[in-house]
Amino acid sequence: MPVSAHAEPEARYRIPLSRDRVLRAAVRLADEHGVEALTMRRLAEDLGAEAMSLYHHVANKGDVLDGILDLVATEIHETVEALDTPAAGAAWKQAVRRRILTAREVLLRHPWAPALFQTRSAAGPAVIRYYDGLLGLMRQGGFSYDLGHHALHALGSRALGFAQELFDPAAGGGSGAEVPPEMAEQLPHLTGMIAEIAHDDPDSTLGWCDDQAEFEFGLDLILDGLDRLRGSR
Amino acid sequence: MPVSAHAEPEARYRIPLSRDRVLRAAVRLADEHGVEALTMRRLAEDLGAEAMSLYHHVANKGDVLDGILDLVATEIHETVEALDTPAAGAAWKQAVRRRILTAREVLLRHPWAPALFQTRSAAGPAVIRYYDGLLGLMRQGGFSYDLGHHALHALGSRALGFAQELFDPAAGGGSGAEVPPEMAEQLPHLTGMIAEIAHDDPDSTLGWCDDQAEFEFGLDLILDGLDRLRGSR
DNA sequence: ACCTGAACACCGTTCAAGT
DNA sequence: ACCTGAACACCGTTCAAGT
């Protein structure tokens, strides 16, 4: 191996670009400043290069977006794969539940990822490997391929650790009790619900939905339903 | 009422702009050419005006996007409201199921809407009214407010008639049996599943997932789970 | 081979000016 | 009041040119 002593300091500020380096910088940029800050120009700047240089390592911006999603999915898959030795029989439910809640933890570190998963239609290889692992756990739990197939569809994005939140309480502003009277007439049931929950727990005003608890409720509902179908079909 | 005969032909090619006219044109544009064709310039062109004129009727592009989502949600809410006289007791499940499948039918006419619903965080008034109606059906079915609340979260976007499809079989290309051998080793369970389904139904190659059936499977799983919890909490 | 500057065809939006 | 043209500050991407 030839030694070139003077190359050392130069190499420090001029690490060659590569697809991997570009994608990792893109993930970091999205994590720190949001996905809307992820432009080819800004990404190049962070890498100490010009925007046009990126095109030697990625096809276009869509390729970058698919690439960073695959990076996140890889992180999920590897974290989850290190988690447990799969268990047979009824333990399938606990194993699947744990994987999905772990996937959710990974996604909380990349809050831009769920919205992007929904925008980019094609599932990358890492997502597919992750789903293959889930299906494997179900098979060990006694699932037919047919039921396992339905199960993956039923779980949908929840399997990856997210589900769309339609109500964003933080966006609402004031406390739950401050429903305008003319709106309350049009929304008798939601108004009643908010009033009752405010009564039971006076401290629960703004942002009173516990995202984690709601995610687990929906997940358990599906898993319990699947467990009941497990033998019968 | 004064009559001005000569105003008629002029009014024909210069209908004044309005927020409603702008939003309806935006929905039509998205329906016909996709949401990516929905630019302020293109939208103005379709209305026979300049892009800058739109800003007298909408605040900005985000306002347009929120506006067209509310228009779709209104269409869902009105279609569903005309559907049934709500039924008490165990019939809640059938009533909710029918509303959600109807919402899905509406969304199939606006295929751009689901992805946009997931991007725009705040739920508009029409979405909230729709959810209030669902909660009302559940209340009549004997739900506590607490269980109804969990139920809305568990249903999530499925209540509006969509759920993210993570596998897009149409994007894959060839038939299900054409899995590359080195990939098959990494995906033993998905490969086995595809092989078995191809064996049971040789015609099911490309796009063999029945979206409607899978949507209903997941929906019923959740509704059956809720029905089981209905009395016990 | 890898990288770059200038340029192109778009965006959403501001502003001053028209009627 | 409503509408408009020109302009600004951005995009992603192409292309010919550098090393």
Side-chain angles (χ1 to χ4, degrees):
Chain A
M1 184 195 299
V3 179
S4 48
H6 73 282
E8 195 61 24
E10 278 208 334
R12 207 196 149 274
Y13 72 85
R14 179 61 75 120
I15 308 163
L17 291 177
S18 69
R19 177 179 174 84
D20 194 62
R21 227 163 80 76
V22 169
L23 293 181
R24 286 182 195 284
V27 169
R28 198 179 329 120
L29 182 53
D31 285 346
E32 289 175 10
H33 298 97
V35 77
E36 75 281 356
L38 176 53
T39 69
M40 298 300 273
R41 284 168 158 92
R42 173 72 189 271
L43 180 55
E45 193 185 343
D46 284 9
L47 286 162
E50 299 300 312
M52 300 27 178
S53 306
L54 304 179
Y55 287 87
H56 289 276
H57 304 96
V58 295
N60 48 40
K61 184 166 183 184
D63 190 24
V64 173
L65 297 179
D66 291 339
I68 60 177
L69 282 181
D70 205 57
L71 231 43
V72 170
T74 300
E75 188 181 343
I76 290 177
H77 184 236
E78 288 176 352
T79 307
V80 134
E81 206 62 40
L83 207 59
D84 48 16
T85 60
W92 77 270
K93 200 163 69 170
Q94 172 66 11
V96 167
R97 187 177 197 274
R98 216 167 138 218
R99 284 200 181 202
I100 292 179
L101 292 180
T102 301
R104 183 172 164 83
E105 283 174 27
V106 173
L107 281 188
L108 290 177
R109 296 200 294 267
H110 308 289
W112 46 269
L116 200 55
F117 269 119
Q118 323 227 34
T119 305
R120 314 293 303 176
S121 54
V127 168
I128 293 178
R129 273 192 293 270
Y130 172 72
Y131 272 72
D132 190 74
L134 284 186
L135 182 56
L137 288 182
M138 294 187 202
R139 288 287 288 170
Q140 283 187 264
F143 280 56
S144 70
Y145 277 129
D146 185 54
L147 181 57
H149 173 227
H150 289 312
L152 293 184
H153 276 284
L155 285 166
S157 67
R158 208 177 301 259
L160 272 176
F162 68 96
Q164 192 192 13
E165 287 299 328
L166 279 171
F167 299 112
D168 186 353
S175 89
E178 293 169 14
V179 178
E182 81 276 11
M183 201 165 164
E185 286 173 31
Q186 282 201 316
L187 308 172
H189 308 102
L190 288 174
T191 307
M193 180 175 80
I194 289 169
E196 183 178 295
I197 290 170
H199 177 266
D200 292 353
D201 179 6
D203 292 335
S204 70
T205 50
L206 180 131
W208 53 276
C209 295
D210 181 338
D211 285 352
Q212 181 73 27
E214 298 302 346
F215 184 85
E216 295 190 17
F217 177 84
L219 175 58
D220 289 336
L221 207 57
I222 293 171
L223 293 181
D224 288 345
L226 293 173
D227 202 34
R228 218 168 283 112
L229 295 175
R230 187 162 56 107
S232 65
R233 20 187 308 178
Chain B
M1 183 194 302
V3 178
S4 51
H6 74 281
E8 195 62 21
E10 280 209 334
R12 207 194 149 273
Y13 70 84
R14 176 65 71 126
I15 308 164
L17 291 178
S18 70
R19 178 179 173 84
D20 194 64
R21 226 163 81 77
V22 170
L23 293 181
R24 286 184 194 284
V27 169
R28 199 180 327 121
L29 181 53
D31 286 346
E32 289 174 10
H33 298 97
V35 77
E36 75 282 357
L38 176 53
T39 69
M40 297 300 274
R41 285 166 158 92
R42 173 72 189 271
L43 179 54
E45 192 186 345
D46 285 9
L47 286 161
E50 299 300 313
M52 298 35 183
S53 306
L54 303 179
Y55 287 86
H56 289 275
H57 303 97
V58 294
N60 47 42
K61 186 168 182 184
D63 190 25
V64 173
L65 297 179
D66 290 338
I68 60 177
L69 283 181
D70 205 58
L71 231 44
V72 170
T74 300
E75 188 181 342
I76 290 176
H77 184 238
E78 287 176 354
T79 308
V80 134
E81 208 61 41
L83 207 61
D84 46 19
T85 59
W92 77 270
K93 198 163 70 170
Q94 172 65 12
V96 168
R97 186 177 199 273
R98 215 166 137 221
R99 285 197 180 204
I100 292 178
L101 292 179
T102 301
R104 183 171 163 84
E105 284 175 25
V106 173
L107 281 188
L108 290 177
R109 297 200 293 269
H110 308 289
W112 46 270
L116 201 54
F117 269 118
Q118 323 227 32
T119 305
R120 313 295 302 176
S121 54
V127 168
I128 292 178
R129 273 193 291 271
Y130 171 72
Y131 271 73
D132 190 75
L134 283 186
L135 183 55
L137 289 182
M138 294 186 202
R139 288 287 289 171
Q140 283 186 265
F143 280 55
S144 70
Y145 275 129
D146 185 55
L147 182 58
H149 173 227
H150 289 313
L152 293 184
H153 276 284
L155 286 165
S157 68
R158 202 173 245 112
L160 272 175
F162 68 97
Q164 190 192 15
E165 287 299 329
L166 279 171
F167 299 111
D168 187 352
S175 90
E178 293 168 13
V179 178
E182 80 278 9
M183 199 163 164
E185 285 172 31
Q186 282 203 313
L187 308 171
H189 309 103
L190 288 174
T191 307
M193 181 176 78
I194 289 169
E196 183 178 295
I197 290 170
H199 177 266
D200 292 353
D201 180 6
D203 292 335
S204 70
T205 50
L206 181 130
W208 53 275
C209 295
D210 182 337
D211 284 352
Q212 180 74 28
E214 297 303 344
F215 184 85
E216 295 190 17
F217 177 85
L219 176 58
D220 289 336
L221 207 56
I222 293 170
L223 293 180
D224 288 345
L226 294 173
D227 203 34
R228 219 167 285 112
L229 295 175
R230 187 161 57 106
S232 65
R233 26 189 299 176

